[in-house]
Amino acid sequence: MKWRRLGDVGLCAAFSFLVLAESGARHDPYWFRAACIAVLAFAVYGRRRWPLVALAAVAWAEIVILALALGTTNGVQIALVPAISLLSYLAGRRETQLKHFVLLCSWSLLGMLILALTVSRGAQATEAVLTWLLMLLLALLLVVLPWLIGRYRAQQALLATAGWERAERIEREQQMEIDQERLRERSRIAEDMHDSVGHELSLIALRAAALELDPSLPDAHRRAAGELRESAATATERLGEIVGVLRDQDAPTMPHDESVRELVERAAASGLSVQLTGDVDGELSPMVDRAVHRVVQESLTNASKHAPGASVTVTVSTEDDDVHVEVVDTGAARPAAASSGGRGLDGLRERVRLAGGSLAAGPRPDGGFTVRATMPRAGGRPEPPTAAVERATVRRSAQRGLITAIAAPLLLGAVVGAVALGYYLVAGYSAILRPAQYDQLSIGQSEADVAKVLPRMQMVDAPSEGYSPPVGWSCRYYRPAAPFSSNYVYRLCFADGALVAKAVVASGSVAPTPEGNG
């Protein structure tokens, strides 16, 4: 904080020195110097909290000085210009919004034009417009360009900060990688055990139940088959307990190549009364395809465990951009030996949710159980952007900022330059007094009669010949021909409503020729 205050004092002192040095050379009044220093002090100390207000304060002070100095021999105070450029740059560094900066510049330039036209009278109004266009060009160089450079630097600092944050995040992720990999491996093992091994155990129990009920086998064999069925059911329960310890729902699973039709056929070959209706029309995303397979597999496993002897119908259909899966069983034909822990359906709900769908499961009113799932064809979580993509995005953003910082002032300058040149040409062609008309004017002629011959406008770039007319005289300058085509102009001076002097004045380094005066 102390160094910041010292920096503010030093900056204010530097700007004040420029003002005092220039004002001392111009012999400006003391109140004028004090006012400029007060504005600079406010801008320097308020630039952090109100960057645009600080810029506006100094800019408007310069605008008022410029408007009052037009048409006088006092010159223009330029000591505030370095402060304007620096404050514009700092406003860009503080990431002020573009629309606020544009509004400030637009209203300031419009106010400068209105103030200049209000203060100026007669011939000075034309000069005020041309001066305003020139000030517009200078504003692009001294105000807009520093702001764009500051904005670009702010974006660069923001990108650098984001890069360091990204590096720290990557470092943290690397430190957690071992634990995450262990959890993912445990999850893959759990999913594989639950979905694959559990399904196979259910089919073994189903085959053993069929042997237990076969009347052609001896009683000893049927008892052995019953014991096998009970052992398979117990193994299934133990497997569910192990899966509950190992499972991590958020970890991905390995892909499987078995289709739904092959899964149903394998279950039917094991003795389960199951049939498949419908099929998938078109391709599914890998995550959705795997989720459809898991829904059918888990539903058949539950039917074989909790509804022995039931008939199962699997329906897979597609509609527009969605895929629908429905597994319905008719209910247990004999008591079930296995109890339900609910882990399989919970895992299915999470898997379907991650694929962008929903799952509903519950008993039917007339007996049996229904599992319904709906998922979008292209469901699943999008892949995160790679490091190369992120670098390319950051690089493009920086390049766009640099191009804007350079191209925008150049483009605006070209437009304003074209407008200024067009205005100069219009004013030049509107200030032509032909040699024959000039010769018709005589000393002592009334100003009203002379005005009937004079063009609509006066020259906006009268030659600096160092002529000082007597007190009470007002002098005007006119071209004898189009701009850039002659090296002399006409000077007409009026006093007390009459023409009191007329002269041919050199407008270049070459003296007027006698032919040019005719």
Side-chain angles (χ1 to χ4, degrees):
M1 183 64 68
K2 180 179 179 181
W3 288 108
R4 176 179 294 183
R5 293 303 179 191
L6 289 177
D8 293 343
V9 173
L11 187 60
C12 185
F15 289 151
S16 300
F17 173 77
L18 295 177
V19 171
L20 293 176
E22 184 181 36
S23 297
R26 290 157 41 96
H27 304 290
D28 291 329
Y30 289 105
W31 66 264
F32 177 82
R33 308 179 194 184
C36 290
I37 293 176
V39 171
L40 287 173
F42 168 78
V44 169
Y45 288 101
R47 72 185 189 279
R48 295 186 181 89
R49 188 171 183 180
W50 310 293
L52 289 181
V53 175
L55 174 61
V58 182
W60 270 95
E62 182 67 25
I63 287 172
V64 173
I65 294 172
L66 177 63
L68 296 178
L70 286 176
T72 68
T73 59
N74 297 330
V76 179
Q77 172 78 273
I78 62 172
L80 297 179
V81 173
I84 293 175
S85 298
L86 180 61
L87 290 173
S88 179
Y89 170 79
L90 295 177
R93 282 299 304 266
R94 296 200 172 270
E95 300 181 11
T96 53
Q97 294 187 7
L98 176 62
K99 63 178 182 180
H100 295 160
F101 178 75
V102 171
L103 286 175
L104 172 62
C105 293
S106 301
W107 283 108
S108 297
L109 291 171
L110 181 60
M112 179 173 63
L113 178 61
I114 295 175
L115 185 61
L117 293 176
T118 303
V119 174
S120 302
R121 292 291 187 272
Q124 295 179 2
T126 304
E127 181 184 357
V129 174
L130 185 60
T131 303
W132 180 80
L133 291 173
L134 295 177
M135 291 300 103
L136 184 56
L137 284 174
L138 290 176
L140 293 175
L141 179 64
L142 301 176
V143 180
V144 176
L145 182 59
W147 187 86
L148 288 173
I149 294 175
R151 185 68 176 268
Y152 174 71
R153 292 292 300 164
Q155 292 178 349
Q156 288 291 94
L158 183 62
L159 291 175
T161 302
W164 282 111
E165 292 177 352
R166 186 179 297 109
E168 292 175 357
R169 186 178 68 250
I170 292 174
E171 184 177 358
R172 289 194 300 267
E173 291 175 354
Q174 289 177 345
Q175 293 176 354
M176 298 171 60
E177 186 64 27
I178 296 177
D179 292 338
Q180 291 177 347
E181 185 62 30
R182 184 182 296 111
L183 291 176
R184 285 194 294 267
E185 186 63 27
R186 289 175 60 180
S187 178
R188 284 193 290 268
I189 295 172
E191 292 290 345
D192 196 29
M193 291 173 63
H194 180 274
D195 296 331
S196 301
V197 180
H199 182 71
E200 299 297 335
L201 288 175
S202 298
L203 295 181
I204 292 173
L206 183 63
R207 291 176 180 271
L211 293 176
E212 184 181 9
L213 298 177
D214 189 355
S216 62
L217 293 178
D219 293 340
H221 291 176
R222 285 190 295 172
R223 284 196 300 271
E227 293 174 357
L228 177 61
R229 177 180 57 80
E230 293 176 357
S231 298
T234 302
T236 303
E237 294 178 1
R238 297 291 181 269
L239 177 63
E241 295 175 358
I242 296 174
V243 167
V245 175
L246 294 178
R247 181 176 304 217
D248 177 16
Q249 299 288 356
D250 293 331
T253 58
M254 297 298 290
H256 200 285
D257 295 333
E258 185 182 43
S259 66
V260 172
R261 183 171 298 279
E262 293 172 346
L263 174 64
V264 171
E265 292 175 353
R266 191 160 58 88
S270 300
L272 184 64
S273 178
V274 56
Q275 60 177 352
L276 174 65
T277 61
D279 202 351
V280 176
D281 184 13
E283 294 185 358
L284 305 177
S285 69
M287 194 171 197
V288 174
D289 183 67
R290 189 61 184 147
V292 170
H293 183 277
R294 292 300 194 194
V295 168
V296 175
Q297 186 181 54
E298 178 66 20
S299 300
L300 294 181
T301 301
N302 290 340
S304 64
K305 289 194 300 183
H306 309 303
S311 297
V312 183
T313 302
V314 178
T315 304
V316 180
S317 62
T318 54
E319 180 181 355
D320 296 332
D321 294 331
D322 294 333
V323 57
H324 304 276
V325 182
E326 183 180 60
V327 182
V328 181
D329 65 70
T330 57
R334 56 182 180 272
S339 60
S340 175
R343 297 188 184 93
L345 290 178
D346 291 340
L348 280 185
R349 288 191 180 93
E350 180 67 11
R351 185 185 295 277
V352 172
R353 184 189 68 82
L354 293 177
S358 61
L359 182 138
R364 302 171 58 197
D366 55 349
F369 200 83
T370 302
V371 177
R372 292 189 182 91
T374 301
M375 290 165 283
R377 288 175 176 267
R381 292 174 291 184
E383 292 294 330
T386 62
V389 174
E390 292 185 1
R391 285 195 300 270
T393 302
V394 172
R395 189 179 298 109
R396 284 195 299 269
S397 178
Q399 290 174 350
R400 285 195 299 266
L402 181 60
I403 292 173
T404 301
I406 296 176
L410 293 178
L411 179 60
L412 291 176
V415 173
V416 175
V419 173
L421 178 60
Y423 179 81
Y424 176 79
L425 292 176
V426 171
Y429 277 96
S430 300
I432 296 177
L433 179 64
R434 299 297 179 183
Q437 296 172 327
Y438 173 78
D439 292 338
Q440 294 175 1
L441 302 178
S442 58
I443 303 300
Q445 191 175 0
S446 67
E447 186 174 358
D449 292 338
V450 174
K452 297 177 182 179
V453 181
L454 298 179
R456 294 179 302 160
M457 301 178 66
Q458 304 177 40
M459 287 183 62
V460 295
D461 56 340
S464 57
E465 54 174 337
Y467 174 72
S468 298
V471 178
W473 286 26
S474 63
C475 296
R476 309 174 188 175
Y477 295 84
Y478 300 94
R479 300 179 184 277
F484 314 113
S485 62
S486 63
N487 61 346
Y488 68 97
V489 299
Y490 297 133
R491 183 182 68 212
L492 304 178
C493 296
F494 298 87
D496 298 326
L499 179 64
V500 295
K502 53 182 289 189
V504 178
V505 180
S507 60
S509 60
V510 180
T513 60
E515 293 79 5
N517 297 333

